[in-house]
Amino acid sequence: MKLLHLDSSILADNSVTRELSAVVANTLRQRHADVETTYRDLAANPIAHLSGEIVGARFVAEADWTATQRSESALNDQLIEEFIAADVLIIGAPMYNFSIPSQLKSWIDRVAVAGRTFKYSENGPVGLVPNKKVVLVSGRGGVHSGEQGSLMDFQEDFLVKVLGFLGVIDVEIVRAEAIGMGPDKRATSIHLAKEAIAKLAL
C-alpha cells in the first residue's frame, strides 16, 4: 500500500492538522504492515507557485527550456507520479481566510494537469485518477459546519470538488473546529477528531 501524506500548515508543532494527520498516518500503519509512505511538508519545503516561465515550458521545445523550466518540469512529473501511485492520500489542510493555504494550492496546481490527471471529452471533463482513498484533515479556528458557517467555507468544499474533478470520490473528512475559540474548545475538538480517526475505514 502506498501512502502520500501532505501537510500544509505553517504552524509547525502548534498545528492541529499536523497532529491529526500524523494520527491518521500512524493508524493506517498500525492496520497495515506494508505501508510505503511518501511525505511532503508543503510549508517547510514549499512548491513554487505557477509562473509564466514554468507554464511556458508546455509551449516550447524541451531543447529550448530554461534551467528553471527543466527543474520545475521534473518536479511536476514527480508530483503527478506520486499522486497517481498513491493508494491512500492524507491531506492536512487548515482553513486560512476561509480557504486553503497557498502552499497546498501550489501542489494542486502541479497535479491537476489535462492529459495526465483529467481530460476533456465530448461529455465534459473526465477524472483520470480513480480508485484512491483520501482522508482530508481539516482544521478551523471558527465553526463552519453549520448552515451559516458553510457559506464562508471555500476550504473543504473546494478540496472535495477538485479531487472529484480528478476522479477521486472516496473522500473522508476529519474535522477539528473552534480551535481558535479557547483552550477548552480546542481540546474538545481535537479529542473528537481523534475519536473519528479511530472509526475511519482505512
Side-chain angles (χ1 to χ4, degrees):
M1 176 184 292
K2 292 188 177 182
L3 166 65
L4 177 58
H5 181 180
L6 307 176
D7 274 321
S8 60
S9 170
I10 61 174
L11 298 180
D13 292 340
N14 292 318
S15 166
V16 169
T17 58
R18 285 176 180 273
E19 177 182 348
L20 294 176
S21 75
V23 174
V24 177
N26 288 335
T27 299
L28 184 70
R29 284 189 282 266
Q30 288 168 5
R31 295 180 185 178
H32 302 275
D34 60 341
V35 179
E36 179 183 333
T37 303
T38 298
Y39 177 73
R40 283 193 176 272
D41 187 331
L42 302 176
N45 299 289
I47 297 164
H49 294 292
L50 287 181
S51 66
E53 182 180 10
I54 294 171
V55 174
R58 301 175 188 174
F59 307 105
V60 298
E62 185 173 346
D64 297 325
W65 283 356
T66 65
T68 295
Q69 288 172 329
R70 290 185 185 283
S71 62
E72 294 298 330
S73 292
L75 176 60
N76 289 343
D77 288 340
Q78 182 179 0
L79 295 172
I80 291 171
E81 288 166 6
E82 289 173 355
F83 176 50
I84 291 173
D87 300 299
V88 179
L89 177 60
I90 300 170
I91 304 176
M95 175 184 278
Y96 290 169
N97 295 320
F98 311 112
S99 187
I100 63 173
S102 63
Q103 292 88 346
L104 179 54
K105 180 60 164 57
S106 287
W107 178 84
I108 291 170
D109 288 340
R110 298 304 186 99
V111 301
V113 178
R116 300 289 301 277
T117 54
F118 73 93
K119 67 178 181 179
Y120 292 109
S121 70
E122 293 180 355
N123 298 317
V126 178
L128 300 177
V129 193
N131 305 319
K132 268 181 217 316
K133 182 176 190 66
V134 174
V135 180
L136 173 57
V137 179
S138 168
R140 292 141 166 222
V143 177
H144 294 273
S145 56
E147 183 176 350
Q148 286 298 114
S150 65
L151 296 175
M152 298 298 286
D153 174 12
F154 305 99
Q155 170 215 20
E156 292 178 1
D157 188 56
F158 167 74
L159 289 168
V160 170
K161 282 186 168 59
V162 75
L163 288 166
F165 183 82
L166 303 180
V168 182
I169 58 174
D170 185 1
V171 180
E172 292 199 65
I173 299 174
V174 174
R175 181 185 301 121
E177 290 195 303
I179 57 178
M181 299 173 67
D184 290 342
K185 289 186 176 181
R186 177 187 175 101
T188 297
S189 188
I190 292 172
H191 175 73
L192 292 174
K194 289 180 178 178
E195 287 188 337
I197 291 169
K199 297 175 183 178
L200 288 175
L202 293 172

